[in-house]
């Protein structure tokens, strides 16, 4: 049984939009150009760009389950399952972007290599604070950070773990 769950399935729609846009630009490039060689090169570039978006989405779409002993990362299109132990987690980032989904990024050590995964945020507001407390109970060395630094979540974390005032350069 998992306690927390998230995914990065939003990369599928991002990739589909990018593919449709590249095909649209390719279509415009082919119809505008009268030269056969230029049309062939536009088609080749469009196909390669679309393939790149598909491969990129294939690598990035994951489901993440936070279980009691470890994290299970299921790569949906590759049929690979990875287990990450809480002791190997180095950092947890809360990333809030304007007009985009709020995401979490976990940096961890896997097979003596530094890796990271991105997925939709586990929770918002006090639920995210509860998640931070829960994950810090598993590994208290995890560095929690918020981007951008003026986001409301930074204030909530400072309320919980103490205020860290930044020095302003003179």
């Amino acid at each position: 049984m998992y306690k927390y769950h998230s995914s990065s399935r939003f990369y599928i729609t991002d990739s589909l939009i990018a593919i449709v846009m590249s095909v649209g630009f390719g279509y415009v490039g082919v119809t505008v150009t009268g030269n056969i060689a230029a049309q062939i090169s536009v088609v080749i570039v469009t196909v390669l760009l679309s393939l790149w978006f598909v491969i990129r989405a294939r690598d990035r779409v994951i489901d993440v389950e936070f279980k009691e002993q470890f994290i299970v990362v299921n790569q949906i299109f590759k049929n690979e399952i990875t287990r990450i132990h809480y002791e190997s987690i180095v950092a947890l980032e809360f990333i809030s972007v304007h007009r985009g989904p709020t995401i979490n990024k976990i940096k961890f050590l896997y097979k003596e290599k530094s890796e990271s995964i991105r997925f939709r945020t586990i929770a918002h507001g006090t639920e995210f604070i509860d998640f931070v407390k829960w994950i810090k109970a598993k590994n208290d060395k995890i560095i929690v950070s918020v981007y951008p630094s003026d986001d409301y979540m930074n204030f909530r974390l400072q309320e919980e773990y103490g205020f860290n005032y930044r020095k302003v350069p003179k």
Side-chain angles (χ1 to χ4, degrees):
M1 184 71 188
Y2 59 84
K3 177 124 176 116
Y4 293 100
H5 177 267
S6 186
S7 74
S8 66
R9 292 180 187 251
F10 63 94
Y11 284 123
I12 295 172
T13 49
D14 290 351
S15 296
L16 287 175
I17 290 169
I19 289 170
V20 168
M21 288 174 58
S22 66
V23 168
F25 287 134
Y27 176 75
V28 169
V30 167
T31 56
V32 169
T33 307
N35 187 351
I36 297 292
Q39 289 177 343
I40 291 172
S41 64
V42 167
V43 168
I44 290 172
V45 167
T46 303
V47 168
L48 290 176
L49 192 61
S50 298
L51 284 174
W52 181 74
F53 284 126
V54 167
I55 291 169
R56 184 172 171 231
R58 182 176 175 247
D59 292 338
R60 297 177 91 183
V61 177
I62 59 173
D63 278 335
V64 181
E65 295 177 359
F66 291 83
K67 297 193 177 196
E68 286 298 322
Q69 301 298 325
F70 48 81
I71 300 171
V72 177
V73 179
N74 181 11
Q75 292 187 337
I76 297 166
F77 296 122
K78 286 184 159 183
N79 293 327
E80 291 180 15
I81 296 176
T82 306
R83 291 184 178 178
I84 304 167
H85 294 281
Y86 291 107
E87 296 82 29
S88 64
I89 297 175
V90 177
L92 169 67
E93 296 177 2
F94 181 90
I95 304 169
S96 176
V97 293
H98 182 64
R99 294 187 182 186
T102 304
I103 59 175
N104 290 136
K105 181 178 180 181
I106 292 182
K107 295 179 182 177
F108 58 96
L109 298 173
Y110 185 72
K111 296 183 180 178
E112 299 179 13
K113 249 176 95 178
S114 180
E115 301 280 338
S116 67
I117 55 174
R118 288 178 172 223
F119 47 89
R120 282 199 191 262
T121 190
I122 299 295
H124 295 281
T126 56
E127 294 173 358
F128 184 74
I129 301 297
D130 293 338
F131 170 70
V132 170
K133 288 179 185 177
W134 181 79
I135 201 165
K136 279 193 153 292
K138 305 286 183 189
N139 179 1
D140 61 345
K141 296 177 183 173
I142 296 174
I143 299 168
V144 180
S145 56
V146 177
Y147 297 103
S149 61
D150 63 345
D151 191 71
Y152 75 97
M153 191 57 67
N154 196 23
F155 178 72
R156 291 186 181 216
L157 284 170
Q158 287 177 350
E159 280 182 328
E160 187 66 35
Y161 292 105
F163 290 92
N164 298 324
Y165 294 101
R166 295 182 285 271
K167 294 182 181 178
V168 178
K170 294 180 182 180

